[in-house]
Amino acid sequence: MHPVFTVVIPAFNEEEVIMESYRRLTAVMKGTGESYELLFVDDGSKDKTAFLLGEAAEKDKNVKCIRFSRNFGHMAAITAGLDCARGDAIMIIDADLQDPPEVFPEMIAKWREGYDVVYGQRSERKGETAFKKLTANIFYRFIRSMTDVDMPVDTGEFRLIDRKVCEAIKKMREKSRYIRGLVSWVGFRQTPVSYIREKRFAGQTKYPLTKMISFAMDAITTFSYKPLKAASTLGFSISMLSFFYLIVVLCQRLFFSNTTISGWASMIAIVTFSQGIVLMVLGLMGEYIGRIFDEIKDRPIYLIQEFINEDEDK
Ligand code: UDP
Ligand code: MG
């Protein structure tokens, strides 16, 4: 028997919160009166997360747990959850209780009205650093302006999707995965519900600055060519400027020959500036090429070590 709801919960080193998430999710899901599965994806945790989930799964058959062979990242964990989810509707939620599970009934109500994607939109973020809020704010608006896909701002992975949306996402096996973008890309009927993003129940963020940057680069490069277009526009503009400057320099040489020898400072400025731009554009191309390389190697997005309480009737 397939459950009506699957809740996908990626977890990486969340021993301090995982049991509390389990309790709160169970309370909310029992309240729906429908069958459900809590599909935890342990993303190669080094702490007791996997052990605690194993214990919970032993007592409660609604708990399922996929254990990765190592840490593959947040997006890979959600991908595994979607691949193995069996519900008619699938909810995605972080393990740290920043997204309140109590919003689920509202999402379910919208789903019953006929919406295929009900995404949580943050009206406020509590307990996060000013830096995180600022960068997140800029990032959502920037990515929205960079792509033709209609991506709502201030929206994370916290959402409910219908089975048909899940099947569409499952077809997209790209390696650099910006899942909220993929969900926007598929279309169907989408609607927001607004909620207040709480502070982490316990523990530290698993997204240090380096991961945030590579996540942002994944999002931009997989949804937009605009940086490449901007690079060629920049190159073209600089060539034009250089051409006009060349004429100026030639005139100086031909008509005011005594002035050409000075200008060491401007020479250095121009050389270092243009070299900086060349290297930057090369790096930008490298970002795209590296991702193409990842695609053609076609390695799996994740590897499962163990699947606790996996259903036989698949
Ligand atoms: N996470 C994961 N793998 C990782 C990093 C994070 O599965 O490599 C999970 C983490 O356990 C949490 C969710 O992704 O459930 C969001 O991470 P976090 O709360 O640390 O990010 P933040 O809310 O600070 O952006
Ligand atoms: Mg969090």
Side-chain angles (χ1 to χ4, degrees):
M1 267 293 285
H2 293 188
V4 178
F5 298 116
T6 299
V7 186
V8 171
I9 313 122
F12 175 51
N13 291 343
E14 301 285 10
E15 62 182 3
E16 289 126 308
V17 300
I18 201 77
M19 282 300 107
E20 181 64 18
S21 329
Y22 164 63
R23 275 187 285 277
R24 269 183 55 192
L25 285 166
T26 302
V28 171
M29 294 317 291
K30 282 213 154 63
T32 64
E34 301 280 6
S35 56
Y36 68 93
E37 59 181 7
L38 300 181
L39 181 51
F40 289 92
V41 185
D42 170 43
D43 185 12
S45 299
K46 294 256 189 305
D47 65 358
K48 288 203 313 221
T49 306
F51 171 76
L52 294 170
L53 287 173
E55 268 189 348
E58 208 161 288
K59 292 190 206 113
D60 182 349
K61 291 303 163 210
N62 294 315
V63 174
K64 312 212 161 130
C65 181
I66 296 171
R67 275 184 63 202
F68 280 179
S69 62
R70 65 167 170 84
N71 179 252
F72 280 92
H74 185 196
M75 295 296 126
I78 293 175
T79 305
L82 298 181
D83 289 345
C84 301
R86 296 168 344 117
D88 297 329
I90 294 112
M91 288 86 119
I92 306 171
I93 186 168
D94 285 353
D96 61 358
L97 293 171
Q98 280 196 282
D99 309 322
E102 290 71 23
V103 180
F104 282 164
E106 203 184 325
M107 290 184 169
I108 292 169
K110 294 264 187 199
W111 175 63
R112 294 214 193 280
E113 274 174 38
Y115 288 102
D116 303 305
V117 175
V118 189
Y119 54 87
Q121 197 158 36
R122 298 151 187 174
S123 56
E124 194 183 320
R125 296 172 80 115
K126 286 189 184 165
E128 284 180 307
T129 59
F131 178 73
K132 178 110 179 179
K133 281 186 204 170
L134 179 74
T135 48
N137 211 308
I138 296 172
F139 169 72
Y140 287 123
R141 279 144 191 89
F142 183 64
I143 181 84
R144 189 180 161 80
S145 70
M146 294 290 276
T147 154
D148 299 330
V149 179
D150 184 18
M151 289 193 201
V153 296
D154 303 326
T155 301
E157 247 55 72
F158 181 44
R159 59 184 70 218
L160 177 150
I161 62 174
D162 185 78
R163 164 118 317 258
K164 57 177 174 284
V165 176
C166 184
E167 292 303 324
I169 303 280
K170 275 161 75 175
K171 289 198 189 118
M172 297 188 245
R173 303 316 290 178
E174 51 199 78
K175 311 294 175 227
S176 301
R177 303 179 71 76
Y178 182 58
I179 293 177
R180 58 199 83 163
L182 298 180
V183 177
S184 300
W185 184 89
V186 298
F188 296 100
R189 274 163 301 176
Q190 310 214 358
T191 187
V193 296
S194 113
Y195 75 104
I196 296 175
R197 187 157 161 99
E198 297 295 336
K199 74 181 223 285
R200 224 174 202 285
F201 180 75
Q204 298 290 320
T205 174
K206 308 298 178 299
Y207 265 99
L209 186 63
T210 48
K211 269 197 198 174
M212 271 165 65
I213 293 173
S214 88
F215 181 66
M217 285 309 289
D218 275 347
I220 294 165
T221 52
T222 56
F223 276 92
S224 178
Y225 303 124
K226 277 191 187 165
L228 294 176
K229 287 190 188 151
S232 51
T233 311
L234 185 70
F236 183 72
S237 318
I238 291 179
S239 307
M240 294 303 285
L241 282 174
S242 313
F243 179 71
F244 288 120
Y245 191 57
L246 178 81
I247 294 174
V248 172
V249 169
L250 275 179
C251 291
Q252 278 183 338
R253 176 69 185 82
L254 292 174
F255 308 117
F256 317 92
S257 57
N258 56 336
T259 58
T260 47
I261 198 70
S262 71
W264 189 83
S266 56
M267 183 81 125
I268 289 293
I270 289 168
V271 168
T272 51
F273 174 74
S274 60
Q275 278 305 304
I277 289 188
V278 168
L279 290 177
M280 195 184 76
V281 170
L282 269 178
L284 177 70
M285 287 174 66
E287 293 284 343
Y288 282 88
I289 293 170
R291 283 171 179 83
I292 298 171
F293 187 42
D294 281 343
E295 292 300 329
I296 56 167
K297 280 186 292 186
D298 201 26
R299 292 185 185 159
I301 297 166
Y302 55 85
L303 291 174
I304 294 179
Q305 178 170 350
E306 188 183 5
F307 193 159
I308 306 170
N309 284 350
E310 183 179 14
D311 282 279
E312 263 78 68
D313 62 320
K314 280 212 285 189

